[in-house]
Amino acid sequence: MKQMKYMIGVDLGTTSTKVVLFDLKGKSIAYANNPYPLYQETPDMAEEDPEEIFDAVISGLTEVMRKSRVAADQIAGVSFSSAMHSLILMDQNDQPLTRVITWADNRASREAEELKENGLGAKLYARTGVPTHPMSPMVKLLWLKKDQPELFKKAKHFIGIKDYVLFRLYGKYVQDYSLANATGLFNIFEKDWDSLALETVGISREQLPELVTPEEQLVGMDRSYAEVTGINPDTPFILGASDGTLSNLGVNAIDPGVLAVTIGTSGAVRVVVDHPVVDPRGRLFTYYLDDNKWVVGGPVNNGGIVFRWVRDQLFSPEKITAEQMQVNSYEILTDIAAKIPAGADGLLFHPYLGGERAPIWDANARGSFFGLTRQHTRAHMVRAALEGIVYNLYMVMLMIEGVAGKPKSIQATGGFARSELWRQMLADIFEQDVNIPESFESSALGAVVIGMKSLGIIDDLSAVKSMVGVTHQHHPNQENFGVYRELLPIWIRLTDELAGEYDSIADFQRKHPNPHARIAEED
């Protein structure tokens, strides 16, 4: 029998599934990225098709095995990362009653507000570490119970997208502590389904997946899928954890004071502490990585998806030219923005195009430009949009300081990390040194590290240190952060001032929906 030399990391993302084959030193050998649409038939909807995601997983596994030409008996294991807060209702025949309701779906906003107003939200947060927001599957279940009671009654199981994929492969419902933690139904101090949350929603623990650690292994994959993918059916599939916690692990941000900043479609700011802590004001999440590592931070809805909006709505001619020239259209826009000085000549942008989680936790939040004059150009608008995304992340960092202390350094990752302009902008606004790890597929690498520990290949998660190099380092530019120090207080005050009108404009938009809204968006 050949010596096992490789691990596969599968990252179930919001707009695509990435599958990466690594050697046992953490080097990427083969890569596949299969996108799928996000269905948005109303302003607050954000759903995916579970079958499309499952197909993306199977296609990705098949592709990396084909590309790498690695023998099946050289694969030590396959380990998973997954986007948080997804919800699927399953019937008594184990068939989906719904599509995947994603974290970005805001239809439970009224239920979230009710929980905040009656004080129950604060009690649940103190037990679960999940802020009261429509992203939470617990809040989504309250909405479905009220809005679609017959559908709710038909459901035998309530699961997430990774649970669905593993059920298709292994015929059982299991969920790791990390993803369970993100449902709002999991008690972080007892490491079990929370009795108050279950009572609030009106479901039983039997309707939820079996809880297991991130190192849990499944073997005996359905042979039909084993044949398609080229993976041995007895190869262990390790549960892994949530994408946010694994991103910290995958960029080597697991020591105290090391801040991880991620911007992909959405974004997050996170730091690791050695025990579960909660924010007195309920603004930060606390998610399980392992018994001695808990990830505290804040997620933002509006990361790269805002940049895509800028590209598609403000620069469509440039987009077409870029595609014809086979040049990355985002690079063209960052080049345009780089010609504008820091602060965009006083143009500010609030990037709340899809509501917002941290730092304001308002599903009705909406985006806006402020300070526009005739002297401002589209280039200024690009620069302001990029800066607005980072201002928002900076506000999350200030909250984290309150419970975990001031950060010592930043590990930055995600699609934005490929942009030199964005990396420098992050260093200037945060006034911190910024390091960019070699592998931007940090969640997949983090999943693999969990898998390697589960299989006994490594003894401790700290082994990731030898796997993560640095491709770029950026230091704050004093002239630039001087400008940002003037603008940030204005931006923050505006955030507070506009908050009073978000409900009104959101209600108007729901009353008068856009008949030309696209049914689905693809990354």
Side-chain angles (χ1 to χ4, degrees), residues 160-239:
I161 185 54
K162 187 170 76 173
D163 314 334
Y164 177 82
V165 170
L166 293 176
F167 177 81
R168 291 287 302 275
L169 295 175
Y170 290 95
K172 60 188 297 188
Y173 293 117
V174 290
Q175 189 169 107
D176 66 86
Y177 288 165
S178 181
L179 275 177
N181 191 165
T183 64
L185 298 165
F186 178 89
N187 189 300
I188 58 177
F189 303 102
E190 298 174 0
K191 287 185 286 188
D192 197 0
W193 296 119
D194 183 72
S195 58
L196 178 60
L198 296 183
E199 180 185 346
T200 300
V201 176
I203 63 174
S204 68
R205 62 188 303 116
E206 288 74 28
Q207 292 178 282
L208 298 170
E210 175 190 353
L211 288 170
V212 297
T213 73
E215 294 182 30
E216 178 78 8
Q217 299 177 19
L218 299 176
V219 293
M221 178 171 53
D222 185 302
R223 288 188 176 273
S224 64
Y225 297 121
E227 290 176 6
V228 170
T229 60
I231 295 173
N232 190 314
D234 294 323
T235 299
F237 274 49
I238 298 93
L239 264 287

Side-chain angles (χ1 to χ4, degrees), residues 184-390:
L185 298 165
F186 178 89
N187 189 300
I188 58 177
F189 303 102
E190 298 174 0
K191 287 185 286 188
D192 197 0
W193 296 119
D194 183 72
S195 58
L196 178 60
L198 296 183
E199 180 185 346
T200 300
V201 176
I203 63 174
S204 68
R205 62 188 303 116
E206 288 74 28
Q207 292 178 282
L208 298 170
E210 175 190 353
L211 288 170
V212 297
T213 73
E215 294 182 30
E216 178 78 8
Q217 299 177 19
L218 299 176
V219 293
M221 178 171 53
D222 185 302
R223 288 188 176 273
S224 64
Y225 297 121
E227 290 176 6
V228 170
T229 60
I231 295 173
N232 190 314
D234 294 323
T235 299
F237 274 49
I238 298 93
L239 264 287
S242 66
D243 55 359
T245 58
L246 289 176
S247 183
N248 267 63
L249 177 58
V251 299
N252 187 28
I254 56 174
D255 291 333
V258 180
L259 199 69
V261 178
T262 303
I263 300 187
T265 304
S266 56
V269 184
R270 303 174 301 270
V271 70
V272 171
V273 296
D274 61 6
H275 63 283
V277 296
V278 291
D279 172 37
R281 295 175 60 185
R283 301 167 300 176
L284 299 171
F285 59 64
T286 301
Y287 295 147
Y288 180 97
L289 179 57
D290 75 10
D291 285 347
N292 300 309
K293 289 181 173 59
W294 296 79
V295 178
V296 176
V300 303
N301 290 1
N302 297 286
I305 199 167
V306 173
F307 200 17
R308 184 172 69 187
W309 175 83
V310 169
R311 180 197 68 182
D312 293 348
Q313 304 305 325
L314 301 182
F315 282 86
S316 55
E318 284 80 354
K319 178 188 174 187
I320 295 169
T321 303
E323 290 173 347
Q324 291 172 342
M325 297 171 57
Q326 296 184 334
V327 174
N328 187 315
S329 54
Y330 293 113
E331 290 181 8
I332 291 177
L333 293 191
T334 53
D335 287 346
I336 290 171
K339 294 179 172 64
I340 302 299
D345 291 322
L347 181 60
L348 300 176
F349 178 69
H350 283 79
Y352 306 139
L353 303 188
E356 190 52 283
R357 292 180 289 174
I360 61 174
W361 295 102
D362 188 343
N364 288 330
R366 296 296 186 261
S368 58
F369 283 101
F370 179 82
L372 271 171
T373 69
R374 290 194 300 273
Q375 283 70 46
H376 287 117
T377 66
R378 286 190 299 170
H380 285 88
M381 298 174 83
V382 180
R383 176 96 194 193
L386 293 174
E387 289 175 339
I389 293 168
V390 183

